[in-house]
Amino acid sequence: MSTVHATAALLPDPALLRAHLRALAVLDAAIGDDPRFVLYRFGAAWGPGEEAALMDNGSGDDFSVLFTPAGVLIRGFDHESSMSPYADDEEQVWPGVIDDVPAALRPLLDEPAFRDEGIDAPRVTACLWRETGDTVWRTGSAIDFPADSEDPDGSGHLFGLLTDRSPEAVRAHFEYYYERPVPLDAIRHVLAGHPLTPEIARALNPAALSDEALLGRISANPEVDSYLACDGEFDLTRTDPIESIALPAGLPVEPVAGCGAGGTHYLCGPATPGGPRPVLYTDSEGRASLIAESLAEALTLAIVLPSWHDALAGFRPPALGADYLEDNPDHPTVAARLLATLRLPPATEAQVLTRLLTTAARTVPDGFLPHVPDEEDGAFEPMLEPSAG
């Protein structure tokens, strides 16, 4: 029989559990096609000093893991369990399930999110907790489980990915839920706590970060579209460059956006389904640079580091972006929101700056410095300059 007692013995310490739940939320958001239908979520601001990991399978089963200064409370609800408050005419929590919850954590069960209208009891069939400083997970000590089920309180299927945290188990879950293959290496990468890069995000769901999908999301979201056209200097309506260009290697170029200063962003190479194309930028003064390995990276750059032109000119933190941040102190919050809207992985200024400089250095040796065909002095100059400190 699988019950909370078996679950308690298999759970890791709170820090490892928190990291694992965050990873599940990252994976679910990256693999899924629609944010409305993800199962796992992680909220870093549930309450003062509190965080919440939530799971809702959309069929009536859910759980919450609340991390608070006083400790951690795990509440699970299996809607088909005979231990459900709804299975009893008195609509009460099954005896023993929450009776031993310590006073410091007990108020968490009264959260409105865990109670349904018309019933004076929390939505719970399984409960575990661990107070700060404790060394083991606790459960109700006097629960008389029904004998008619191998998983009477639902803990077996509710907490399956919390007790078996192996990459193989996690992959099997997401492949079953989303009905498509998921690469094990990408699962391992996220579960190990590594950042979700555009490459890993693309491996988890190639369609989500395709050029077509990203451009469609921009067009459908006025806030993103407006920011990119103004602050991001990535205006999708400016696709008429000042002059035609060609690349030494003969790769095709497609103008995808422009800026008010006369610059143009180009996608380089043939368009292949799901395949990334490097992004080249040319300015109005005859200079050019490769700025990203894909449209997803270019959009991340424009959102997170709108002063990237200065980076190519040699500026580095703290001078880089200081003026923009002074005028827009809420930029980090706005950037995080825009990235989430486009379903792009989170990124820091340091990360996008490193990617920009690495990519820009490929412009000349890899044949991405353009020229104007049939023009004697039509060669562009590279934009990347040595660091100015």
Side-chain angles (χ1 to χ4, degrees), residues 37-41 53-64 75-86 113-114 116 123-126 151-160 173 177:
F37 301 122
V38 299
L39 275 71
Y40 293 89
R41 304 176 188 272
L54 308 174
M55 189 285 296
D56 188 333
N57 68 5
S59 299
D61 304 328
D62 68 278
F63 75 63
S64 60
R75 176 207 58 85
F77 177 70
D78 174 6
H79 79 288
E80 292 186 346
S81 169
S82 57
M83 294 173 62
S84 166
Y86 294 99
F114 309 142
D116 294 328
R123 196 171 59 251
V124 58
T125 57
D151 189 15
D153 58 6
S155 57
H157 75 270
L158 286 172
F159 307 129
H173 161 78
Y177 184 71

Side-chain angles (χ1 to χ4, degrees), residues 202 206-226 228-229 234-239 254-258 265-268 271-272 275 277 279 294-300 302-303 338 341-344:
R202 189 174 294 107
L209 294 186
S210 69
D211 295 348
E212 296 77 11
L214 288 168
L215 293 173
R217 289 190 203 111
I218 295 170
S219 299
N221 190 285
E223 182 189 16
V224 176
D225 194 19
S226 176
L228 288 172
F234 200 94
D235 189 344
L236 297 180
T237 66
R238 295 179 180 269
T239 55
E254 175 190 346
V256 66
H265 297 271
Y266 297 87
L267 296 174
C268 303
T272 56
R277 289 184 283 174
V279 178
S294 66
L295 178 60
E297 279 193 16
L299 293 171
T300 302
I303 291 172
L338 298 182
T341 300
L342 290 178
R343 300 193 59 198
L344 291 167

Side-chain angles (χ1 to χ4, degrees), residues 102-124:
L105 299 175
R106 185 63 179 248
L108 299 175
L109 291 169
D110 295 326
E111 289 276 356
F114 309 142
R115 288 176 175 263
D116 294 328
E117 188 175 351
I119 179 171
D120 187 26
R123 196 171 59 251
V124 58

Side-chain angles (χ1 to χ4, degrees), residues 309-366:
H309 298 80
D310 293 335
L312 293 181
F315 288 90
R316 299 291 180 270
L320 178 64
D323 291 342
Y324 181 83
L325 201 56
E326 184 177 349
D327 294 335
N328 302 273
D330 62 340
H331 177 250
T333 301
V334 172
R337 183 171 67 248
L338 298 182
L339 290 179
T341 300
L342 290 178
R343 300 193 59 198
L344 291 167
T348 65
E349 286 191 0
Q351 289 170 336
V352 298
L353 176 59
T354 298
R355 286 203 297 251
L356 169 66
L357 299 178
T358 301
T359 303
R362 295 205 302 113
T363 305
V364 176
D366 290 0

Side-chain angles (χ1 to χ4, degrees), residues 24-36:
L24 290 179
V26 169
L27 285 167
D28 209 349
I31 297 170
D33 294 316
D34 190 327
R36 295 175 300 172

